[in-house]
């Protein structure tokens, strides 16, 4: 993931990817962590997600305050994504994808 994100960003990128072990037949629930550059805000992160995934037919970007749940995508090929930014620590995390297909 670091390799491909670094290629896309044109500079080194390091993330922490945490898949969650849950009793599912198919799909995955994961949390990804990264450190934002100085001056990057929660609105910047949201704008980046909306720019990249806003027109994807099977990706749903959840509104602030909601977190993905595998029950909401059961039996579909949808992917629900949510994110949070801790502006004090510069850490942001994403909950992609919540999918069961």
């Amino acid at each position: 993931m670091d390799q491909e994100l670094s290629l896309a960003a044109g500079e080194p990128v390091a993330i922490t990817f945490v898949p969650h072990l849950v009793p599912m037949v198919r799909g995955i629930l994961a949390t990804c962590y990264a450190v934002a550059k100085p001056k990057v805000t929660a609105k910047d992160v949201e704008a980046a997600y909306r720019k990249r995934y806003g027109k994807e037919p099977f990706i749903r970007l959840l509104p602030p305050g909601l977190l993905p749940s595998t029950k909401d995508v059961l039996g579909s090929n949808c992917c629900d994504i949510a994110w949070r930014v801790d502006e004090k620590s510069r850490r942001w995390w994403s909950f992609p994808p919540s999918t069961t297909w």
Side-chain angles (χ1 to χ4, degrees):
M1 286 184 207
D2 289 352
Q3 171 188 312
E4 295 306 311
L5 289 170
S6 296
L7 287 172
E11 60 186 84
V13 172
I15 66 164
T16 302
F17 173 76
V18 182
H20 301 278
L21 180 60
V22 294
M24 289 189 294
V25 175
R26 292 159 54 180
I28 188 170
L29 175 62
T31 307
C32 298
Y33 300 88
V35 177
K37 289 184 174 184
K39 299 183 183 180
V40 171
T41 67
K43 289 187 182 221
D44 296 328
V45 173
E46 179 177 0
Y49 271 104
R50 296 214 179 278
K51 180 179 179 182
R52 174 58 185 92
Y53 297 112
K55 295 182 181 179
E56 294 293 330
F58 300 111
I59 295 180
R60 299 184 298 214
L61 301 174
L62 300 181
L66 290 181
L67 294 175
S69 172
T70 54
K71 70 178 181 168
D72 295 332
V73 295
L74 183 64
S76 75
N77 56 336
C78 289
C79 171
D80 287 353
I81 299 176
W83 58 90
R84 300 292 183 269
V85 177
D86 179 352
E87 293 183 15
K88 181 180 177 185
S89 70
R90 310 297 322 134
R91 278 200 143 334
W92 66 270
W93 57 98
S94 176
F95 309 93
S98 172
T99 65
T100 56
W101 61 90

